[in-house]
Amino acid sequence: MESNITIPKHIGIIMDGNGRWAKKRLLPRNMGHKKGAEVFQDITRYCNELGLEAVTFYAFSTENWKRPKDEVDGIMKLFKEYLITAFDYEKENNKIIFLGDKSAFSGELLDLMEEIETKTADRTGMILNIAINYGSRNEMVHACKKIAQDVKNGKMDVNDINEDTFSSFLYTKNQPDPDFILRPSGEKRLSNFLLWQSAYSEFVYMDVLWPDFTRKNLDEAILEFNKRNRRFGGV
Ligand code: FPP
């Protein structure tokens, strides 16, 4: 990366195209997710090397449960394997946070997620957000319920509700908003990802399928981001 390039603070990545990657090779869809998970790990390392403050990966949405059972089971199995082995959270300095409604999980998977969040909570390195059973609408409804409860219990006054306090009830509390959202695979949709947080994000769409995504592709996306003139509503 050239030295005059601004490295974003926080990138949101929609890992899309795993199914199409597998289909093109006449492989089961879960092979696409397997390759996608490897790319996820390499790109996480690269984000660390680039010095990002935070990166958020969209791993599984609140809508993804509608997929065939064997596909959902396959993704959860991969996710668990990564939690057990590949995160290497004893060695890396990433603070790992799972964004989403954890009430859908139980047993070993939930224990692992909680253990990793606790063990990495005081880390000072990059925040690695993994959105799992995540949907922005769900996140905002969840925040509204918690705020309503606090107002009802006298912990909060209605006049204290503003954009900052609302943000503090989201799964991404205390984190910088994403500078840009990156979606590979040619699709140009946000798909219920970080709707509130991406109010001023740049959107970068790329034609490469996620399992084919490389460090060079991320460099290209960052260069594209650098060409944008961000005005945040000003002139
Ligand atoms: C979208 O591609 C991808 C997913 C819904 C699952 C992503 C999951 C992983 C990469 C593995 C598990 C996660 C971690 C963090 C280890 P798609 O299936 O919608 O692709 P398509 O549009 O080509 O069908």
Side-chain angles (χ1 to χ4, degrees):
M1 199 62 13
E2 298 149 43
S3 55
N4 57 343
I5 293 294
T6 305
I7 299 297
K9 287 194 169 115
H10 181 181
I11 307 181
I13 302 181
I14 303 178
M15 302 187 281
D16 194 17
N18 295 349
R20 275 164 285 166
W21 182 91
K23 194 173 174 202
K24 263 175 47 182
R25 288 162 178 76
L26 306 176
L27 292 168
R29 290 178 58 84
N30 278 332
M31 292 306 288
H33 296 314
K34 188 168 187 298
K35 182 72 175 39
E38 286 166 19
V39 173
F40 150 82
Q41 211 190 13
D42 185 53
I43 295 298
T44 301
R45 293 216 173 98
Y46 191 43
C47 288
N48 256 310
E49 286 169 27
L50 290 174
L52 263 76
E53 281 182 27
V55 58
T56 301
F57 289 93
Y58 204 4
F60 196 84
S61 76
T62 46
E63 289 77 29
N64 284 150
W65 299 106
K66 291 185 219 148
R67 294 186 176 212
K69 188 177 178 307
D70 69 327
E71 182 170 345
V72 172
D73 289 350
I75 293 173
M76 290 305 155
K77 188 164 168 266
L78 270 175
F79 181 54
K80 192 154 126 185
E81 276 169 23
Y82 270 83
L83 296 189
I84 294 169
T85 59
F87 277 131
D88 228 352
Y89 59 89
E90 302 289 349
K91 289 189 208 121
E92 288 186 359
N93 198 29
N94 292 334
K95 177 171 174 160
I96 300 172
I97 298 174
F98 300 98
L99 309 180
D101 181 1
K102 289 200 196 83
S103 68
F105 302 103
S106 60
E108 201 186 346
L109 202 54
L110 183 64
D111 291 348
L112 275 166
M113 286 160 78
E114 288 180 344
E115 186 193 338
I116 289 173
E117 281 189 333
T118 308
K119 280 198 172 173
T120 66
D122 296 328
R123 295 270 179 88
T124 51
M126 184 179 78
I127 296 175
L128 168 58
N129 291 312
I130 298 167
I132 187 111
N133 193 30
Y134 176 85
S136 273
R137 290 180 174 186
N138 168 286
E139 178 182 39
M140 287 193 259
V141 169
H142 182 252
C144 289
K145 281 187 175 165
K146 286 210 287 188
I147 291 170
Q149 201 73 51
D150 280 0
V151 171
K152 196 174 151 200
N153 296 338
K155 275 211 260 172
M156 197 176 170
D157 190 87
V158 173
N159 293 320
D160 293 335
I161 305 172
N162 55 42
E163 293 180 13
D164 288 335
T165 50
F166 186 78
S167 294
S168 73
F169 281 84
L170 298 175
Y171 298 126
T172 48
K173 58 177 176 285
N174 302 326
Q175 298 198 33
D177 283 338
D179 302 277
F180 78 93
I181 305 281
L182 173 63
R183 182 166 194 158
S185 97
E187 306 286 353
K188 297 185 174 66
R189 283 190 299 277
L190 203 42
S191 300
N192 206 7
F193 183 55
L194 303 180
L195 300 182
W196 171 275
Q197 298 88 338
S198 66
Y200 286 103
S201 304
E202 297 294 333
F203 292 88
V204 178
Y205 299 103
M206 298 177 90
D207 269 331
V208 54
L209 301 173
W210 177 251
D212 288 327
F213 195 87
T214 61
R215 292 176 174 220
K216 192 166 163 287
N217 290 131
L218 188 59
D219 287 348
E220 287 160 9
I222 293 174
L223 287 175
E224 172 61 30
F225 169 75
N226 271 259
K227 285 189 208 149
R228 308 280 174 92
N229 177 10
R230 306 184 78 207
R231 293 190 298 278
F232 298 94
V235 287

